[in-house]
Amino acid sequence: MSNPPRPRSARILIVEDELILATTLKEILESLGYTVTGIAASFEATLDQVAQDRPDLALIDVRLPGLRDGIDAATILSETFQIPVLYLTGQADRDTLKRVYQSRPSVYLRKPVSREELAVAIALVLRLNE
């Protein structure tokens, strides 16, 4: 499958507390031609990263350590900064899905996700938010 077209120099923030997965995602995104603005492993680190270098898109895991999770971070990124959010998570219970839906994400993907699925989802989100 060929890679979908992507906006020039799109910048993506990874919000993921599992270092191995975050590193793998970074490698995939860079191989697709995207710039990774940073990797954040908590709610607070996410807001710090956005303050330092505002991305065009955030890939966010629902489950993060601490009192505030990825859904809280996604809500702020979306509502305050108008940054589109792509959830990439293994969480699919009813309560989580309800909170995800209320946060108005651009896309919700379940782990594990293939490189191709990720590429298509990112291209669609970025295209819709041009």
Side-chain angles (χ1 to χ4, degrees):
M1 174 179 185
S2 64
N3 292 333
R6 61 179 168 75
R8 190 175 48 149
S9 69
R11 302 157 39 75
I12 301 174
L13 171 64
I14 298 169
V15 180
E16 171 62 60
D17 64 326
E18 294 179 33
L19 183 58
I20 293 172
L21 179 55
T23 302
T24 301
L25 286 170
K26 182 177 189 288
E27 291 169 1
I28 291 170
L29 294 174
E30 289 174 343
S31 76
L32 292 169
Y34 296 112
T35 299
V36 175
T37 62
I39 296 173
S42 68
F43 172 86
E44 296 79 11
T46 301
L47 297 185
D48 290 344
Q49 284 287 329
V50 169
Q52 289 177 22
D53 198 359
R54 192 164 167 181
D56 299 309
L57 169 70
L59 263 61
I60 299 182
D61 185 12
V62 168
R63 186 166 292 182
L64 296 175
L67 297 176
R68 302 197 67 189
D69 63 12
I71 299 172
D72 295 326
T75 301
I76 290 174
L77 295 187
S78 178
E79 291 178 0
T80 303
F81 298 101
Q82 290 73 50
I83 296 171
V85 170
L86 187 158
Y87 282 110
L88 183 60
T89 187
Q91 304 300 308
D93 61 90
R94 186 179 182 102
D95 291 337
T96 298
L97 290 175
K98 182 177 179 182
R99 288 185 63 221
V100 163
Y101 179 75
Q102 290 171 341
S103 74
R104 307 186 77 180
S106 296
V107 175
Y108 174 90
L109 296 175
R110 295 238 2 237
K111 294 176 189 174
V113 64
S114 72
R115 180 182 190 275
E116 292 77 20
E117 288 173 306
L118 188 59
V120 168
I122 291 169
L124 287 172
V125 171
L126 292 171
R127 173 93 181 188
L128 291 171
N129 288 280
E130 287 183 331

